[in-house]
Amino acid sequence: MLMQRFKEGDPRALARTITLLESGQDFPEELLSLHHTAQVIGITGSPGSGKSTLTDQIIQELRSQGKTVAVIAVDPSSPFTGGAILGDRIRMARHTLDSGVFIRSLASRGALGGVSGKTLQVLRAIEAFGFDVILIETVGVGQSEVDIASIADHTVLVLTPNQGDAVQAFKAGVMEIADVFVVNKSDLPGADRVVRELHATLTLGGMLEWMPPAVKTSAQKGQGIPELLKALQDHREHLGAEGLRQRRLNRLRFELRVLLEDWAHDKLRDAENLLPEVLSGKRSLQSLFDSLF
Ligand SMILES: Nc1nc2c(ncn2[C@@H]2O[C@H](COP(=O)(O)OP(=O)(O)OP(=O)(O)O)[C@@H](O)[C@H]2O)c(=O)[nH]1
Ligand SMILES: [Mg+2]
């Protein structure tokens, strides 16, 4: 019944399916046959850099092109950004009555705000439902920005004309995740300087196969959005069918790793209770380990 309504495109059936996935139910195998593929765009960057405002503008632009859009906001239930969900609801509120738009907030994984296995299942469900584009917003603190690059077809790193942000991007491992840089809040002074610094740093790195463009936007004023979408389209063309296939394999590899880590985490917790037996010489650590499987 639920799956039937899902296949008929009832958004309430999608919402219900997601709730079931979040409560730990397995992914309905029946949906695997739907074979829909969405364009998956990850949007990450420092807290308050304007990701949600930008997402709202991207939705608007894609809707004007007739595309359907889903948004997954990975809620960092971390001390960095209290109240993010409420803020997101307000910033994207104008789309809530549009049936071509679906917005969902999901909890992050672990203290570092990484992307959870459940989020990946929800992503798959949303994809199966048939949205053209899926935007995933994660706050670029800790693990989530690295995770998002393993999941998305395209990763957008949002910077602002603010010294701290640029420095943050230049830290090893962060720069590399960006397929496209956005310098948002370009209505404020300093955006051109950040763009120049990005270019200089990227050029220093030698010839890259794909030189990530830096697009200036003002999400607040709705400026630079078509340019951003053009840059994403360019990246898609650069990837081509084989590049996209590699990204999808990456996502599956990541998902498998998350499943294994969660499993290991549970096993570790169980086994810890038995460590006193090992300490007192009742059994060996090896036999405890073997009993886990
Ligand atoms: N001046 C200026 N302010 C902006 C721009 N875009 C967003 N803002 C403001 O920046 C603040 C944060 O915007 P959000 O869109 O919530 O930023 P965010 O990155 O989603 O924030 P978190 O999800 O909490 O990390 C809000 O007050 C926005 O109005 C912009 O282009 N220019
Ligand atoms: Mg936000």
Side-chain angles (χ1 to χ4, degrees):
M1 185 59 189
L2 178 62
M3 287 304 106
Q4 189 54 38
R5 279 172 39 225
F6 187 106
K7 288 178 186 169
E8 284 163 12
D10 179 353
R12 281 167 310 174
L14 173 60
R16 177 79 192 131
T17 303
I18 292 175
T19 304
L20 291 173
L21 288 172
E22 281 184 294
S23 73
Q25 225 175 67
D26 284 344
F27 188 84
E29 296 277 327
E30 213 183 321
L31 297 183
L32 291 177
S33 62
L34 289 174
H35 289 306
H36 288 134
T37 340
Q39 183 169 352
V40 181
I41 302 171
I43 300 176
T44 190
S46 312
S49 54
K51 300 176 296 297
S52 298
T53 315
L54 194 67
T55 300
D56 174 74
Q57 294 286 358
I58 296 172
I59 297 173
Q60 185 75 359
E61 182 69 21
L62 290 170
R63 290 302 288 143
S64 76
Q65 298 174 5
K67 292 186 174 145
T68 56
V69 191
V71 178
I72 301 176
V74 178
D75 171 38
S77 29
S78 74
F80 293 105
T81 48
I85 292 190
L86 183 61
D88 289 351
R89 285 222 185 102
I90 293 165
R91 277 186 254 302
M92 300 177 208
R94 61 172 163 161
H95 301 294
T96 46
L97 291 176
D98 179 351
S99 63
V101 177
F102 184 88
I103 298 171
R104 187 80 178 215
S105 294
L106 297 173
S108 62
R109 170 184 190 246
L112 290 174
V115 173
S116 72
K118 278 177 190 162
T119 297
L120 289 157
Q121 293 201 336
V122 169
L123 172 62
R124 190 175 299 143
I126 290 176
E127 188 162 42
F129 193 78
F131 284 97
D132 296 321
V133 181
I134 302 174
L135 306 167
I136 309 180
E137 177 188 340
T138 61
V139 177
V141 285
Q143 191 54 41
S144 64
E145 61 199 356
V146 187
D147 285 359
I148 200 67
S150 310
I151 294 162
D153 299 336
H154 317 284
T155 303
V156 176
L157 185 63
V158 183
L159 307 175
T160 56
N162 159 312
Q163 183 62 36
D165 251 7
V167 171
Q168 140 105 359
F170 298 147
K171 276 193 306 198
V174 177
M175 196 95 179
E176 286 79 356
I177 65 160
D179 299 312
V180 173
F181 289 97
V182 160
V183 182
N184 189 41
K185 306 198 184 185
S186 63
D187 50 292
L188 303 177
D192 288 319
R193 183 182 50 78
V194 176
V195 171
R196 277 198 305 276
E197 285 176 11
L198 279 172
H199 279 306
T201 313
L202 287 169
T203 320
L204 268 182
M207 270 314 280
L208 297 170
E209 216 184 300
W210 164 257
M211 189 59 83
V215 183
K216 281 192 295 177
T217 64
S218 170
Q220 204 174 53
K221 299 197 158 136
Q223 290 164 355
I225 311 302
E227 290 79 1
L228 169 56
L229 291 180
K230 168 76 169 60
L232 288 166
Q233 190 52 38
D234 289 347
H235 183 245
R236 203 162 184 82
E237 277 158 29
H238 162 79
L239 285 178
E242 181 50 28
L244 273 175
R245 191 176 159 274
Q246 288 302 330
R247 296 258 164 159
R248 296 296 161 122
L249 281 174
N250 245 341
R251 191 204 294 176
L252 288 174
R253 191 179 302 126
F254 176 81
E255 188 166 358
L256 189 59
R257 208 185 71 214
V258 169
L259 286 172
L260 281 168
E261 281 172 8
D262 286 352
W263 175 83
H265 188 264
D266 289 348
K267 288 288 179 186
L268 182 61
R269 212 187 30 218
D270 295 347
E272 267 166 2
N273 297 325
L274 299 171
L275 286 177
E277 291 183 17
V278 177
L279 191 63
S280 66
K282 257 194 217 135
R283 66 190 296 179
S284 71
L285 189 69
Q286 185 64 44
S287 86
L288 172 58
F289 178 75
D290 290 341
S291 72
L292 295 179
F293 299 91

